[in-house]
Amino acid sequence: MIADTVRSIWCRELKRDDISVDDNFFALGGQSLIMAKIQMAFIEELGVEVPVDQMFLNSTVASISAYIESMGAETS
């Protein structure tokens, strides 16, 4: 499931294990350097390139996962 993978990436890059699918990236302390690391992880782990503007527009695990799913990404 994409949301599980996205949540795992966020937990790793934000160094937290208590992130829910509705938590806001910026409220969790997210900033541009972390966003760039997450963007690279999306490419490496999900095979999708998520534009920065979409990462700003979709600032929760749930919303960015829905966006990634709309791009046709799949997890194995």
Side-chain angles (χ1 to χ4, degrees):
M1 184 171 187
I2 296 216
D4 292 337
T5 302
V6 169
R7 184 182 172 282
S8 175
I9 291 168
W10 278 36
C11 286
R12 182 181 66 232
E13 297 304 333
L14 289 163
K15 300 182 181 356
R16 301 176 63 132
D17 60 1
D18 60 344
I19 297 173
S20 78
V21 294
D22 295 319
D23 286 334
N24 184 288
F25 173 80
F26 300 104
L28 294 169
Q31 38 85 355
S32 61
L33 180 58
I34 296 171
M35 184 178 284
K37 290 179 179 180
I38 290 172
Q39 189 178 32
M40 289 304 298
F42 287 162
I43 293 170
E44 293 171 3
E45 297 176 38
L46 294 172
V48 295
E49 185 170 348
V50 178
V52 172
D53 65 327
Q54 289 301 320
M55 295 182 72
F56 276 98
L57 291 171
N58 297 289
S59 60
T60 66
V61 169
S63 64
I64 198 67
S65 297
Y67 175 78
I68 291 169
E69 286 178 8
S70 77
M71 297 173 64
E74 297 179 17
T75 56
S76 54

